[in-house]
């Protein structure tokens, strides 16, 4: 992914489509003249040097007849209007014939209508290519189906006229293209704002509004370079353009309120508001809600590193004292101006963050361009790092954010924030392995913040139906795409249900197929109640049901129904999340005895109530968290002893230290450094296990390769042996007829970024992809898979372009200065006054309200968002995501709101270019 080239064609790399030699010299001459008249490539325009392999020629040649080209040439200039009567006289045609010709040319998109005259009657003009004819042609599905080269034409017309001029464009864009308008809420209290900076100002000027599909999204989809943002209805036409689009059958009328709702919905999706910027400050024709990864206007300024082309008058800045590095502003920033850094100073002082070089006083060449801007915009973190809690969490939860909210008692806000990255916070509050706490900076001072306990308290709000957070499922009203995009998730464990959650949040119809009688996977059948109460799990699963996720339990895919059957039912993509349901054997004599069970099957039998008693002494083999669960379950079912033996030393055990400690407290004997050599039996009954000393678990490369001293052995008497040394895949017939390949441990082979298998419509994640890990790893996989599946089901969408890889680096905890902090000790949750081995009830109590607030204040607030003001385009989307009033827009570039007619562009560009050249010379002389 990191090495992938940005494939959005750069004009310098342009290869024209193959066209046959013109067979009509007269038509070729007319088309060349027309292309020269319309183009904004001024060198070509004034030298009249256009050729038949130029895009202006071949695009117009494909869609126009000789007679139509001649008719258009009679306009003589672009953007000059004539009535049908005038055009009839100019072309020696009847008015009726002229109207028909105009209507047809409007349908194609090379002619535009307006009512800008005293009688408000319809008149016509030839628009420029962008914004204009190239977009109008792209709106026409019938035309682009017949002439798919128009997508490349539109792409090139947004670049070729601008390559040489972009560094010389002043603030405001000089009447070129589009102009960013901030989110209105972000500037409503800005006293210095002017009317043209408010969307409400522009909407109030017109009485007609239309909405239609986005041509940039369509163009990139047609060229196979979509970034997952589907056309939808996001482009708003106003005034005459609204009528023009509706008349052409390429838009529909909407009300003012509907227009406002579209703008709000765009902000929810992280789309940038832009207005047309070619008519001066008194007129626009459209408001676009632009997807940054495919928008041609944003692309132009970002590719050439020239933000003046589109930026608003505002720039974002962060109030570091309020920022909690939740990262939500970073995720939505369309150009990568906001990234996570650190708030704490280093021993050498505050971290200095780089600024993007601008062409203001620098000679600008192609070496200064950024062809990889779409990937750069999704880099979340500076190399120097950010808060370790966020970086170390597999799902990268906004830990500092919800901890801060907890300190302020904002429980529901905190729950909503958590669920943007983890739909099962209550579950994780019980079973997470707490990597965030392991890496917590506070741990370098005394003890880490009890992050998991804080999250557990917040997530308890899920248990009551009236305080659950159920997200918006945006496609409920069909505003994003149609209903024919059914998604199948196979396996209702944490990976599968997380994928279902995020797919449903995107608006898809999702069905989860589960072979067991209830959803939950290993959470329901592999984790005992004393670690995860099932009412906690069920409450969070109910949220998915409220969202509209369908669960089909008791269905084994591969037997009751096949993937091929599901394809016939209309399912477009599949997520394999079946986990590792089988156990592993040790490969030693005697392990086939009836009293030797796998830990996984043992836990399942207990959870299902099939096993309620064990006789005499029990030996558990294994040192991971599953082994601890097995041992703690066994001690509740037997009157004998429970001994847990593993290869690793006490400090190397993979199980969490606190869980091992709980096991010891419950009377379980833990013996380290031993591996099974033989299961001892007598009359087919287990009598004990012979163990040998393990001298080394891993080789020099860190791979599992145990070595033993065969002469040092011990015998541990028992009547039951529970093997918890690993889990295995149980595919059965699920993959029959597919091209899914299996790798090490019979896990599914997938692309490391997209999770796509050898079968394009099948994705895989969780333990069945990477081997046994933790619930939080599976949850992280589910969200990533949902993004891939979303992209996959829409033709023309790349699975990787402009994809947020969510990679975070941990700050250097050895090089920080903590000047002051809350000195409270780590809060310790209480326990119920029950002997734990007598019950399967969870005896752990949550922190109290006061403890949670106290604990939250212990957070050092390591991270913060840093904004590169040179890269910021002032869209204000960051402010819509911040729940802490930490990031704001400030009107620092007032001339960025200067709007001029495109015909007057050089009146602005000329003086600015001269001033810039003087600055470059002075800078050069200053260096000498």
């Amino acid at each position: 992914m990191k090495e992938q080239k940005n494939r959005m064609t750069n004009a310098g790399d342009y290869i024209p489509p193959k066209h046959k030699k013109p067979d009509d010299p007269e038509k070729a001459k007319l088309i060349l003249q027309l292309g020269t008249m319309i183009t904004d490539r001024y060198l070509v325009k004034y030298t009249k040097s256009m050729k038949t392999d130029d895009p202006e020629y071949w695009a117009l040649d494909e869609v126009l007849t000789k007679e139509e080209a001649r008719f258009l040439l009679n306009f003589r200039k672009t953007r000059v209007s004539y009535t049908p009567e005038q055009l009839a006289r100019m072309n020696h045609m009847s008015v009726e014939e002229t109207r028909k010709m105009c209507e047809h040319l409007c349908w194609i998109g090379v002619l535009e209508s307006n009512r800008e005259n005293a009688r408000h009657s319809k008149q016509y003009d030839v628009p420029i290519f962008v914004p204009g004819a190239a977009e109008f042609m792209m709106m026409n599905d019938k035309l682009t189906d017949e002439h798919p080269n128009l997508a490349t034409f539109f792409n090139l017309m947004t670049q070729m006229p601008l390559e040489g001029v972009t560094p010389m464009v002043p603030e405001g864009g000089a009447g070129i293209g589009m102009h960013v308008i901030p989110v209105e809420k972000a500037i409503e209290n800005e006293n210095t704002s002017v009317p043209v900076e408010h969307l409400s100002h522009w909407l109030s000027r017109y009485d007609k509004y239309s909405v239609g599909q986005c041509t940039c999204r369509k163009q990139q989809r047609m060229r196979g370079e979509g970034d997952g943002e589907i056309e939808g209805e996001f482009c708003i036409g106003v005034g005459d353009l609204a009528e023009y689009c509706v008349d052409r059958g390429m838009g529909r009328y909407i009300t003012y309120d509907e227009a406002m709702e579209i703008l709000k919905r765009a902000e929810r999706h992280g789309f940038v508001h832009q207005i047309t910027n070619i008519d001066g400050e008194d007129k626009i024709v459209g408001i676009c809600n632009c997807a940054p990864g495919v928008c041609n206007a944003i692309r132009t300024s970002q590719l050439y590193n020239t933000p003046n082309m589109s930026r608003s008058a505002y720039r974002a800045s962060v109030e570091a004292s309020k920022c909690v590095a939740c990262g939500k502003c970073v995720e939505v920033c369309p150009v990568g101006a906001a990234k996570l850094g650190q708030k704490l100073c280093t021993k050498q002082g505050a971290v200095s963050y780089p600024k993007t070089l601008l062409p203001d006083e620098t000679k600008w060449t192609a070496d200064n361009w950024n062809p990889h801007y779409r990937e750069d915009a999704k880099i979340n973190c500076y190399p120097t790092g950010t808060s370790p809690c966020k970086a170390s969490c597999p799902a990268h939860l906004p830990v500092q954010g919800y901890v801060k909210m907890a300190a302020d008692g904002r429980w529901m806000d905190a729950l909503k924030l958590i669920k943007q990255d983890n739909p099962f916070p209550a579950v994780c509050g019980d079973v997470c392995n707490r990597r965030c706490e392991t890496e917590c900076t506070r741990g370098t001072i005394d003890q880490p913040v009890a992050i998991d306990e804080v999250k557990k308290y917040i997530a308890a709000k899920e248990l009551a139906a009236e305080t659950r957070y159920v997200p918006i499922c945006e496609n409920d009203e069909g505003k994003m795409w149609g209903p024919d995009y059914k998604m199948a998730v196979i396996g209702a464990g944490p990976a599968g249900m997380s994928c279902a959650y995020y797919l449903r949040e995107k608006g898809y119809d999702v069905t989860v197929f589960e072979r067991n009688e209830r959803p939950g996977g290993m959470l329901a059948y592999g984790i005992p109640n004393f670690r995860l109460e099932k009412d906690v799990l069920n409450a969070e699963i109910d949220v998915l049901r409220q969202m509209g996720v369908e669960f089909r339990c008791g269905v084994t895919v591969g037997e009751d129904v096949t993937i091929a059957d599901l394809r016939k039912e209309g399912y477009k993509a599949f997520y394999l999340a079946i986990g590792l349901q089988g156990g592993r054997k040790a490969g030693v004599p005697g392990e086939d005895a009836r009293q030797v069970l796998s830990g996984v099957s043992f836990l399942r039998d207990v959870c299902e109530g099939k096993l309620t008693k064990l006789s005499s002494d029990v030996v558990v083999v294994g040192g991971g968290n599953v082994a601890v669960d097995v041992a703690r379950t066994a001690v509740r079912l037997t009157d004998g002893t429970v001994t847990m033996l593993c290869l690793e030393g006490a400090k190397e055990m993979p199980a969490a230290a606190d869980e091992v400690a709980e096991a010891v407290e419950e009377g379980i004997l833990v013996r380290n450094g031993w591996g099974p050599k033989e299961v001892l039996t007598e009359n087919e009954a287990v009598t004990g296990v012979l163990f040998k000393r393990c001298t080394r678990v891993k080789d020099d490369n860190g791979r599992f390769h145990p070595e033993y001293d065969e002469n040092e052995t011990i015998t541990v008497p028992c009547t039951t042996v529970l093997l918890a040394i690993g889990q295995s895949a149980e595919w059965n017939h699920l993959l029959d007829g597919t091209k899914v390949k299996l790798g090490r441990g019979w896990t599914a082979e997938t692309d490391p970024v997209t999770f796509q298998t050898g079968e394009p419509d099948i994705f895989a994640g969780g333990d069945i992809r990477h081997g046994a890990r933790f619930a939080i790893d599976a949850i992280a996989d589910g969200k990533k898979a949902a993004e891939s599946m979303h992209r996959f089901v829409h033709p023309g969408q790349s699975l990787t372009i402009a994809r947020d890889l969510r990679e975070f680096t941990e700050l250097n905890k050895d090089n920080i200065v903590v000047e002051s902090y809350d000195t409270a000790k780590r809060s310790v949750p209480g326990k119920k006054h029950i002997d734990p081995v007598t019950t399967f009830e969870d005896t752990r109590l949550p922190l109290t309200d006061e403890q949670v607030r106290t604990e939250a204040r212990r957070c050092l607030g390591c991270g913060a968002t840093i904004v590169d003001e040179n890269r910021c385009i002032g869209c204000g989307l960051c402010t819509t995501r911040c729940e802490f009033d930490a990031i704001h827009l400030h009107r620092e570039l007032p001339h960025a709101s200067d709007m001029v007619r495109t015909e007057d562009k050089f009146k602005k560009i000329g003086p600015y270019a001269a001033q810039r050249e003087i600055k470059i010379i002075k800078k050069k002389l200053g260096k000498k």
Side-chain angles (χ1 to χ4, degrees):
M1 174 64 182
K2 287 182 177 178
E3 297 177 358
Q4 177 183 316
K5 293 182 179 180
N6 187 304
R7 299 189 301 119
M8 187 180 281
T9 304
N10 297 324
D13 303 326
Y14 163 58
I15 300 174
K18 292 182 180 179
H19 278 73
K20 64 181 181 178
K21 187 176 181 180
D23 54 10
D24 185 341
E26 183 184 4
K27 179 186 177 185
K29 182 179 179 180
L30 292 170
I31 295 293
L32 285 170
Q33 290 174 347
L34 182 61
T36 301
M37 181 184 97
I38 300 176
T39 190
D40 268 342
R41 289 197 292 150
Y42 283 89
L43 184 61
V44 171
K45 193 179 192 74
Y46 293 128
T47 60
K48 302 188 185 303
S49 57
M50 186 169 290
K51 298 179 176 61
T52 57
D53 59 359
D54 283 336
E56 296 96 330
Y57 173 84
W58 53 254
L60 293 174
D61 183 52
E62 285 194 25
V63 300
L64 295 176
T65 66
K66 179 167 56 179
E67 291 71 26
E68 289 165 348
R70 185 180 288 113
F71 182 89
L72 291 167
L73 277 169
N74 281 331
F75 280 80
R76 296 185 178 86
K77 288 183 179 181
T78 57
R79 290 165 49 84
V80 176
S81 298
Y82 297 96
T83 66
E85 292 77 14
Q86 291 172 318
L87 290 170
R89 289 193 296 272
M90 292 160 60
N91 290 278
H92 307 291
M93 299 167 62
S94 71
V95 174
E96 183 180 351
E97 289 174 325
T98 302
R99 290 187 192 277
K100 287 182 178 179
M101 173 70 82
C102 289
E103 287 174 5
H104 180 66
L105 292 175
C106 282
W107 179 84
I108 291 173
V110 291
L111 204 61
E112 185 179 16
S113 64
N114 66 73
R115 295 181 181 274
E116 294 179 357
N117 54 63
R119 294 188 302 163
H120 300 294
S121 60
K122 190 174 286 188
Q123 57 187 16
Y124 301 92
D125 69 275
V126 176
I128 60 176
F129 281 129
V130 177
E135 289 163 299
F136 298 154
M137 287 190 279
M138 281 301 299
M139 291 178 185
N140 191 329
D141 289 341
K142 187 175 187 299
L143 194 70
T144 54
D145 286 346
E146 294 175 0
H147 305 286
N149 283 332
L150 291 176
T152 297
F153 169 65
F154 179 36
N155 180 58
L156 292 170
M157 286 299 95
T158 64
Q159 292 184 74
M160 294 177 75
L162 298 173
E163 279 192 350
V165 76
T166 49
M168 296 179 283
V169 174
E171 292 171 9
I176 299 175
M178 305 292 289
H179 178 64
V180 171
I181 293 288
V183 171
E184 186 139 351
K185 189 176 179 181
I187 63 170
E188 60 188 0
N189 295 320
E190 184 68 43
N191 295 329
T192 58
S193 70
V194 295
V196 297
E197 296 166 356
H198 294 260
L199 288 173
S200 59
H201 161 78
W202 291 112
L203 285 177
S204 66
R205 288 178 65 91
Y206 299 95
D207 59 0
K208 287 181 289 191
Y209 317 96
S210 70
V211 65
Q213 67 174 324
C214 170
T215 52
C216 291
R217 289 170 173 89
K218 177 182 176 181
Q219 168 221 303
Q220 303 302 357
R221 182 259 297 168
M222 288 180 63
R223 301 176 61 249
E225 296 192 15
D227 72 341
E229 299 299 350
I230 317 305
E231 277 105 296
E233 290 188 329
F234 281 107
C235 287
I236 300 171
V238 297
D240 291 334
L241 183 68
E243 180 180 356
Y244 175 70
C245 292
V246 174
D247 285 352
R248 298 174 71 218
M250 293 152 207
R252 63 182 178 86
Y253 283 123
I254 56 174
T255 65
Y256 178 94
D257 289 340
E258 287 175 310
M260 291 302 296
E261 173 53 34
I262 289 168
L263 296 174
K264 291 175 183 176
R265 180 157 49 90
E267 291 168 12
R268 290 199 296 271
H269 284 278
F271 300 152
V272 180
H273 303 314
Q274 295 196 87
I275 58 173
T276 52
N277 189 27
I278 60 174
D279 293 294
E281 63 182 17
D282 293 324
K283 176 186 174 184
I284 65 171
V285 297
I287 302 171
C288 292
N289 295 290
C290 304
V294 292
C295 173
N296 287 320
I298 293 177
R299 180 267 305 277
T300 304
S301 63
Q302 295 303 300
L303 169 64
Y304 300 126
N305 264 337
T306 51
N308 278 357
M309 286 290 302
S310 57
R311 76 191 333 171
S312 80
Y314 296 80
R315 292 195 291 204
S317 63
V318 176
E319 196 172 341
S321 62
K322 292 182 178 180
C323 181
V324 294
C326 67
K328 297 307 169 185
C329 59
V330 172
E331 292 173 15
V332 79
C333 180
V335 296
K339 290 183 176 64
L340 287 181
Q342 68 183 70
K343 190 182 300 183
L344 300 175
C345 287
T346 69
K347 294 174 182 177
Q348 294 77 38
V351 179
S352 177
Y353 293 98
K355 300 287 185 185
T356 299
L357 181 66
L358 296 178
D360 299 345
E361 53 184 34
T362 303
K363 194 76 174 175
W364 216 243
T365 68
D367 291 337
N368 300 107
W369 298 355
N370 182 15
H372 304 291
Y373 75 92
R374 290 193 289 188
E375 275 62 58
D376 291 352
K378 292 303 176 184
I379 296 175
N380 289 303
C381 184
Y382 282 101
T384 49
T386 190
S387 51
C389 52
K390 186 174 183 69
S392 60
C393 174
H396 304 298
L397 264 65
V399 175
Q400 272 184 240
Y402 69 75
V403 167
K404 170 61 176 171
M405 286 174 167
D408 296 336
R410 296 171 59 190
W411 312 121
M412 289 307 297
D413 288 341
L415 181 61
K416 178 181 177 181
L417 184 62
I418 292 169
K419 294 191 76 170
Q420 291 181 42
D421 298 301
N422 179 0
F424 297 101
V427 167
C428 285
D430 281 333
V431 303
C432 190
N433 65 324
R434 305 178 182 179
R435 276 167 269 186
C436 53
E437 293 187 20
T438 301
E439 300 302 329
C440 177
T441 307
R442 180 65 189 246
T444 63
I445 297 174
D446 44 26
Q447 287 184 295
V449 175
I451 297 168
D452 207 47
E453 294 294 343
V454 172
K455 178 170 81 249
K456 183 176 181 178
Y457 182 93
I458 294 166
K461 305 299 178 185
E462 291 275 56
L463 302 185
E466 65 275 9
T467 56
R468 289 175 186 165
Y469 170 66
V470 180
I472 295 172
C473 299
E474 194 65 72
N475 198 38
D476 278 350
E477 297 177 30
K479 291 179 179 176
M480 293 296 289
W481 43 80
D484 301 325
Y485 289 92
K486 294 164 64 177
M487 302 287 205
V489 174
I490 303 172
M497 291 194 296
S498 294
C499 182
Y501 180 95
Y502 291 110
L503 282 172
R504 184 72 197 110
E505 191 177 39
K506 288 178 181 291
Y508 291 100
D509 291 334
V510 187
T511 305
V512 182
F513 297 89
E514 170 58 50
R515 72 177 186 178
N516 294 308
E517 294 305 313
R518 63 183 190 275
M522 292 297 284
L523 299 175
Y525 291 94
I527 297 180
N529 266 28
F530 56 78
R531 285 198 61 217
L532 176 61
E533 293 277 11
K534 296 308 175 277
D535 61 343
V536 173
L537 173 62
N538 293 335
E540 295 200 313
I541 293 175
D542 280 345
V543 172
L544 273 72
R545 290 194 175 97
Q546 288 178 252
M547 292 170 66
V549 174
E550 179 185 0
F551 288 92
R552 293 190 192 174
C553 295
V555 177
T556 301
V557 179
E559 297 177 12
D560 301 316
V561 66
T562 66
I563 287 178
D565 293 333
L566 294 175
R567 287 192 182 112
K568 292 176 183 177
E569 291 183 25
Y571 289 94
K572 304 294 186 184
F574 303 84
Y575 183 51
L576 308 182
I578 62 173
L580 299 176
Q581 300 292 328
R584 292 187 183 276
K585 291 191 174 183
V588 300
E591 67 178 347
D592 292 328
R594 187 168 54 84
Q595 297 89 350
V596 180
L597 307 173
S598 78
V600 173
S601 61
F602 167 72
L603 290 173
R604 170 182 291 276
D605 287 346
V606 174
C607 285
E608 291 184 316
K610 296 178 181 178
L611 182 58
T612 59
K613 188 69 176 176
L614 293 174
S615 61
S616 193
D617 298 336
V618 179
V619 163
V620 178
V621 181
N625 283 327
V626 173
V628 174
D629 285 346
V630 168
R632 295 182 64 197
T633 300
V635 82
R636 287 161 169 78
L637 300 181
T638 182
D639 294 330
T641 62
V642 176
T643 306
M644 178 178 165
L645 300 98
C646 63
L647 302 177
E648 298 85 2
K651 294 183 179 180
E652 290 76 37
M653 288 178 68
D658 59 335
E659 292 191 37
V660 175
E662 287 179 327
V664 171
E665 288 176 10
E666 293 175 1
I668 297 164
L669 177 62
V670 179
R671 303 191 67 171
N672 299 94
W674 298 99
K677 185 172 185 178
E678 180 181 0
V679 176
L680 306 175
T681 61
E682 186 175 320
N683 297 326
E684 298 184 350
V686 171
T687 60
V689 183
L690 179 65
F691 287 88
K692 54 188 175 183
R693 171 62 73 182
C694 179
T695 58
R696 191 180 189 188
V697 178
K698 298 179 180 179
D699 62 18
D700 292 337
N701 295 319
R703 296 173 181 167
F704 182 74
H705 190 269
E707 297 177 5
Y708 302 94
D709 181 349
E710 300 283 349
N711 296 318
E712 185 178 356
T713 62
I714 58 172
T715 298
V716 182
C718 65
T719 58
T720 302
V721 179
L722 302 174
L723 297 177
I725 56 174
Q727 297 162 246
S728 62
E730 292 183 345
W731 290 105
N732 299 318
H733 298 288
L734 174 58
L735 301 180
D736 289 2
T738 74
K739 297 177 183 178
V740 177
K741 295 181 180 179
L742 302 182
R744 186 178 180 183
W746 293 96
T747 54
E749 289 187 355
T750 69
D751 181 276
V753 171
T754 68
F755 297 175
Q756 191 175 40
T757 68
E759 190 80 58
D761 63 349
I762 298 178
F763 301 79
D767 288 355
I768 202 62
R769 182 183 76 88
H770 48 56
R773 292 187 189 170
F774 297 88
I776 191 64
D777 297 280
I779 288 166
D781 276 11
K783 185 173 184 179
K784 294 173 184 176
E787 174 63 20
S788 293
M789 293 168 72
H790 157 67
R791 289 173 175 237
F792 172 79
V793 300
H794 298 281
Q797 304 302 316
S798 164
L799 268 62
T800 55
I801 287 177
R803 184 176 181 129
D804 189 346
L805 297 182
R806 305 202 75 216
E807 294 179 340
F808 299 88
T809 302
E810 180 181 317
L811 59 79
N812 183 0
K813 295 197 291 284
D814 295 327
N815 187 32
I816 56 171
V817 176
V818 182
E819 296 178 347
S820 62
Y821 57 90
D822 189 299
T823 58
K825 301 298 182 185
R826 178 180 168 114
S827 302
V828 178
K831 288 193 174 185
K832 298 176 183 177
H833 297 295
I834 305 172
D835 183 356
V837 299
T838 65
T839 179
F840 274 87
E841 182 182 344
D842 188 351
T843 60
R844 299 170 295 178
L845 293 172
L847 295 176
T848 65
D849 185 302
E850 184 179 350
Q851 281 181 308
V852 169
R853 292 172 187 260
T854 299
E855 188 61 27
R857 287 192 287 269
R858 296 183 65 242
C859 175
L860 299 176
C862 305
T865 293
I866 311 297
V867 174
D868 179 351
E869 61 185 21
N870 285 358
R871 196 163 183 172
C872 176
I873 61 173
C875 66
L877 286 170
C878 52
T879 68
T880 70
R881 299 300 192 269
C882 183
E883 295 286 341
F884 303 92
D885 193 35
I887 191 164
H888 304 94
L889 293 188
H890 299 284
R891 195 169 187 267
E892 299 176 356
L893 306 167
H895 289 296
S897 289
D898 294 345
M899 300 173 68
V900 300
R901 296 177 73 248
T902 189
E903 289 80 4
D904 298 327
K905 64 170 69 73
F906 287 109
K907 294 178 182 178
K908 290 286 186 178
I909 290 174
Y912 181 80
Q915 293 171 12
R916 173 176 170 267
E917 190 62 30
I918 293 171
K919 290 180 182 178
I920 293 172
I921 293 171
K922 285 183 176 180
K923 183 179 179 182
K924 188 175 181 180
L925 292 174
K927 285 184 178 179
K928 288 183 179 181

